[in-house]
């Protein structure tokens, strides 16, 4: 059974940092790309970052490039999203998603598996 379990969300002040984790199980980690997709109330979902577990290529949306960093640890079957310089507009539920083959894409419709999400709230 495929499982993606996110953790690390919470409440943070503007300018602060959080690190999200996504623990994956039930599939061959290196054969997949992993993404972080967020959805704020009333807004469309947005793929903010993606990494190929095969060749480590990455994608970042314009809204987070330079502030967020995605990484993956094959030994731990875990993907991370380091979020720095957080802004009010980063507030959303962040979902981890997996795609096979391990191609980097911002097209969330292509993702095969999804986690349950973790809330990130940026507020003063």
């Amino acid at each position: 059974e495929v499982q993606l379990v996110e953790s690390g969300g919470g409440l943070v002040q503007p300018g602060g940092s959080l690190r999200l984790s996504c623990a994956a199980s039930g599939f061959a980690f290196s054969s997949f790309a992993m993404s972080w997709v967020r959805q704020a109330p009333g807004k469309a979902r947005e793929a903010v970052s993606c990494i190929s577990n095969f060749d480590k290529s990455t994608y970042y949306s314009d809204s987070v490039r330079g502030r967020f960093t995605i990484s993956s640890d094959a030994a731990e079957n875990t993907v991370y999203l380091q979020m720095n310089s957080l802004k009010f507009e980063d507030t959303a539920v962040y979902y981890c998603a997996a795609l096979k083959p391990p191609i980097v894409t911002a097209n969330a419709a292509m993702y095969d598996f999804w986690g349950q999400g973790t809330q990130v709230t940026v507020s003063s």
Side-chain angles (χ1 to χ4, degrees), residues 35-38 45-51 58-70 81 87 89-90 94 104-107 111:
S35 293
W36 288 96
V37 180
R38 69 185 181 187
R45 63 185 179 182
E46 176 190 15
V48 297
S49 189
C50 184
I51 185 168
T58 57
Y59 160 83
Y60 295 96
S61 67
D62 290 343
S63 59
V64 308
R65 188 177 295 112
R67 300 187 297 120
F68 291 10
T69 303
I70 192 169
L81 187 68
K87 304 176 180 180
E89 53 265 40
D90 294 319
Y94 284 71
V104 169
T105 178
N107 184 354
Y111 302 154

Side-chain angles (χ1 to χ4, degrees), residues 57-118:
S57 55
T58 57
Y59 160 83
Y60 295 96
S61 67
D62 290 343
S63 59
V64 308
R65 188 177 295 112
R67 300 187 297 120
F68 291 10
T69 303
I70 192 169
S71 61
S72 67
D73 184 336
E76 298 292 332
N77 279 12
T78 300
V79 176
Y80 303 96
L81 187 68
Q82 178 66 44
M83 305 186 296
N84 298 330
S85 302
L86 283 161
K87 304 176 180 180
F88 293 118
E89 53 265 40
D90 294 319
T91 296
V93 178
Y94 284 71
Y95 298 91
C96 177
L99 162 69
K100 184 176 183 180
I103 57 173
V104 169
T105 178
N107 184 354
M110 295 179 65
Y111 302 154
D112 299 304
F113 304 108
W114 293 80
Q116 293 300 305
T118 186

